[in-house]
């Protein structure tokens, strides 16, 4: 069976997003125009031990017409074994498998997985070869610029992987930050362009997709389309081909502004109303109860995931309230902002109690003594 590569060009791709990139959220993203979606990062050792909650991360909704799963592992045998399981699991429909070489979380990196796999060539090569020996679909490789900001290595690692001559690598996904940066400071798009022009003409060219800080259609055009046209004019770095694709790969931008695919495709800043955003949350709750169940346990899980999402959504400042367009992802909105309605003001609140009130509007009262603390600790604003 011939392996069918994914055409990412001129598409909006929703990056794998831990916790908040769940199936009900991806249904919302499809509604707003996302073309390609990917499940949350799943750990190979947990999948191989048969953990049901980990396998649930690989579930696809029928509306997801191009869908991938992301796997993190620290060893070639783990990647190969899970690839065999995925290839033989008839109930799974997967268009591509994304290898995670970008996760900065200590627990993942300590196992040799995530960003630490970028530093271990032999294990990485064995992992890529092992997966592509058994998978009928392509593999994409998501990585960061390197371990730390001062010593980026992606521009050396990409041509090295290219030189291995392994058939079936669909794309490199480059997040323009190092592992130690996590999500702080701005993504380095000049460096992403350098990585995109790093492949040698002696081997088959592999597409490169950039990722980081896309928060408006103007960001997409300035950070990606302008880099592509620069590369076409100058022939890339050192005369090599510029392999950067016109792909809008969205991470936190999609969490804060889920209607971003619409803005990119229609080339506009959408002043979406608070009632339209509440309707979006109603849809999420409906999808959540379908996915996690409508019993008390399902309601609790839907509420938890809604609150995790609200911990990102409140950072959106409505277009009609901005003095300068567009909003930048790393600019912290002022405290105690007043919206143009009570609902909009509540949606702007950084206070967990207000997020809980929004959840009560949609799912009824919380149990007595209910507490919520977001899993993520946002470390992504400009340091003062």
């Amino acid at each position: 069976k011939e392996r069918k590569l994914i055409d990412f060009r001129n598409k909006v791709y929703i990056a794998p997003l831990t916790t908040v990139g769940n199936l009900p959220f991806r249904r919302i993203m499809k509604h707003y125009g996302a073309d390609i979606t990917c499940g949350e990062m799943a750990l190979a050792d947990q999948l191989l031990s048969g953990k049901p909650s980990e396998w649930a991360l690989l579930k696809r909704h029928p509306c997801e017409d191009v869908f991938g799963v992301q796997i993190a592992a620290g060893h070639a045998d783990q990647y190969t074994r899970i690839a065999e399981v995925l290839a033989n699991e008839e109930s799974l429909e997967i268009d591509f498998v994304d290898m995670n070489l970008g996760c900065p979380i200590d627990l993942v990196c300590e196992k040799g997985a995530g960003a630490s796999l970028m530093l271990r060539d032999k294990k990485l090569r064995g992992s890529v070869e092992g997966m592509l020996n058994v998978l009928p679909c392509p593999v994409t490789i998501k990585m960061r610029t390197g371990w730390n900001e001062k010593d980026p290595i992606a521009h050396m690692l990409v041509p090295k992987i290219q030189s291995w001559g392994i058939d079936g690598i669909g794309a490199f996904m480059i997040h323009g930050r190092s592992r130690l940066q996590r999500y702080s400071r701005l993504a380095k798009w000049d460096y992403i362009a350098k990585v995109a022009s790093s492949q040698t003409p002696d081997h088959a060219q592999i597409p490169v997709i950039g990722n980081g800080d896309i928060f408006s259609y103007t960001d997409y055009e300035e950070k990606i389309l302008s880099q592509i046209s620069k590369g076409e004019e100058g022939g890339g770095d050192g005369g090599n081909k510029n392999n950067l694709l016109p792909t809008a790969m969205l991470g936190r931008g999609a969490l804060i502004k889920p209607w971003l695919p619409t803005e990119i495709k229609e080339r506009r800043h959408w002043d979406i109303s608070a009632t339209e955003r509440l309707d979006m949350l109603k849809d999420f709750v409906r999808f959540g109860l379908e996915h996690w169940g409508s019993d008390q346990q399902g309601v609790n899980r839907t509420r938890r995931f809604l609150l995790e999402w609200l911990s990102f959504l409140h950072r959106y400042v409505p277009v009609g309230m901005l003095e300068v367009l567009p909003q930048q992802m790393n600019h912290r909105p002022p405290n105690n902002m007043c919206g143009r309605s009570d609902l909009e003001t509540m949606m702007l609140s950084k206070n967990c109690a207000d997020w809980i009130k929004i959840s009560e509007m949609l799912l009824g009262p919380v149990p007595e003594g209910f507490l919520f603390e977001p899993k993520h600790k946002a470390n992504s604003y400009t340091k003062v």
Side-chain angles (χ1 to χ4, degrees):
K1 186 181 173 183
E2 193 179 335
R3 194 181 274 118
K4 185 187 171 192
L5 295 180
I6 308 298
D7 184 2
F8 285 94
R9 288 170 302 174
N10 301 307
K11 303 283 198 314
V12 175
Y13 169 45
I14 307 304
L17 297 159
T18 303
T19 305
V20 267
N22 49 62
L23 183 146
F25 169 79
R26 298 195 307 269
R27 288 181 69 180
I28 298 288
M29 295 311 306
K30 286 299 294 179
H31 169 75
Y32 284 116
D35 299 295
I36 302 171
T37 50
C38 189
E40 300 168 66
M41 176 184 74
L43 301 174
D45 57 350
Q46 303 285 337
L47 293 170
L48 290 166
S49 67
K51 192 175 179 184
S53 59
E54 210 71 14
W55 278 98
L57 302 177
L58 310 187
K59 192 175 177 187
R60 172 187 197 157
H61 189 267
C63 74
E64 297 182 273
D65 38 2
V66 183
F67 175 71
V69 297
Q70 190 187 64
I71 308 292
H75 302 280
D77 65 319
Q78 286 181 332
Y79 263 124
T80 306
R81 278 160 52 216
I82 196 59
E84 286 171 345
V85 175
L86 296 178
N88 294 321
E89 186 57 65
E90 289 179 11
S91 65
L92 285 177
E93 288 183 44
I94 296 168
D95 298 308
F96 63 99
V97 175
D98 189 45
M99 292 179 69
N100 184 313
L101 273 64
C103 180
I105 297 168
D106 294 341
L107 277 172
V108 173
C109 290
E110 283 162 9
K111 292 180 178 178
S116 64
L117 193 56
M118 287 184 76
L119 310 175
R120 298 149 79 224
D121 291 358
K122 196 174 171 187
K123 289 198 170 179
L124 176 56
R125 182 171 185 168
S127 301
V128 179
E129 286 177 340
M131 291 188 91
L132 284 166
N133 280 339
V134 294
L135 281 174
C137 64
V139 161
T140 57
I141 302 175
K142 169 93 188 285
M143 66 177 75
R144 286 183 173 246
T145 59
W147 192 258
N148 62 56
E149 211 176 344
K150 289 177 184 169
D151 304 302
I153 60 169
H155 68 288
M156 296 181 283
L157 185 57
V158 162
K160 186 180 286 183
I161 296 170
Q162 180 210 15
S163 74
W164 296 339
I166 304 167
D167 182 52
I169 300 175
F172 293 110
M173 320 273 189
I174 312 295
H175 181 172
R177 291 182 175 87
S178 70
R179 183 261 166 168
L180 294 180
Q181 265 183 280
R182 299 201 171 212
Y183 301 95
S184 65
R185 296 186 293 285
L186 297 177
K188 294 194 169 174
W189 278 93
D190 287 344
Y191 181 72
I192 291 171
K194 180 178 179 176
V195 177
S197 304
S198 65
Q199 296 176 48
T200 67
D202 313 337
H203 298 279
Q205 303 294 298
I206 299 167
V208 172
I209 295 169
N211 171 226
D213 302 337
I214 303 295
F215 201 39
S216 64
Y217 83 86
T218 49
D219 284 342
Y220 171 61
E221 293 179 357
E222 288 163 14
K223 290 182 168 77
I224 300 178
L225 299 188
S226 67
Q227 291 284 9
I228 291 169
S229 59
K230 257 194 244 174
E232 285 168 355
E233 288 162 19
D237 187 55
N240 290 346
K241 182 174 185 279
N242 182 348
N243 289 294
L244 188 65
L245 290 187
T247 304
M249 183 173 178
L250 309 179
R252 284 173 304 145
L255 293 175
I256 300 166
K257 268 171 66 171
W259 50 91
L260 186 50
T262 304
E263 290 195 352
I264 289 169
K265 289 181 173 186
E266 297 180 3
R267 302 189 70 243
R268 66 183 174 112
H269 301 299
W270 181 3
D271 191 7
I272 187 169
S273 70
T275 48
E276 286 173 303
R277 288 156 64 202
L278 186 65
D279 287 341
M280 173 189 77
L281 297 179
K282 285 176 185 171
D283 284 340
F284 176 83
V285 164
R286 184 162 51 85
F287 298 156
L289 296 175
E290 279 176 29
H291 182 56
W292 291 302
S294 53
D295 59 359
Q296 192 57 52
Q297 191 179 3
V299 170
N300 292 348
R301 292 193 75 182
T302 300
R303 191 190 306 276
R304 286 273 170 197
F305 284 111
L306 172 64
L307 290 168
E308 290 286 357
W309 189 20
L310 286 166
S311 75
F312 287 93
L313 282 170
H314 80 276
R315 289 166 54 183
Y316 167 69
V317 179
V319 166
M321 295 173 62
L322 289 170
E323 288 181 15
V324 179
L325 283 171
Q327 181 184 356
Q328 297 299 310
M329 197 187 301
N330 64 316
H331 288 173
R332 190 186 294 271
N335 287 322
N336 305 316
M337 279 189 81
C338 280
R340 296 163 293 185
S341 66
D342 290 345
L343 179 59
E344 196 167 69
T345 301
M346 191 185 287
M347 286 178 164
L348 281 160
S349 172
K350 298 175 182 179
N351 187 339
C352 278
D354 286 319
W355 309 342
I356 290 169
K357 278 181 200 165
I358 293 171
S359 84
E360 291 184 316
M361 290 163 67
L362 303 165
L363 284 161
V366 295
E368 201 173 325
F370 180 86
L371 293 170
F372 172 73
E373 170 92 10
K375 270 191 185 180
H376 76 97
K377 300 286 181 286
N379 179 25
S380 49
Y381 291 121
T382 302
K383 297 270 193 296
V384 178

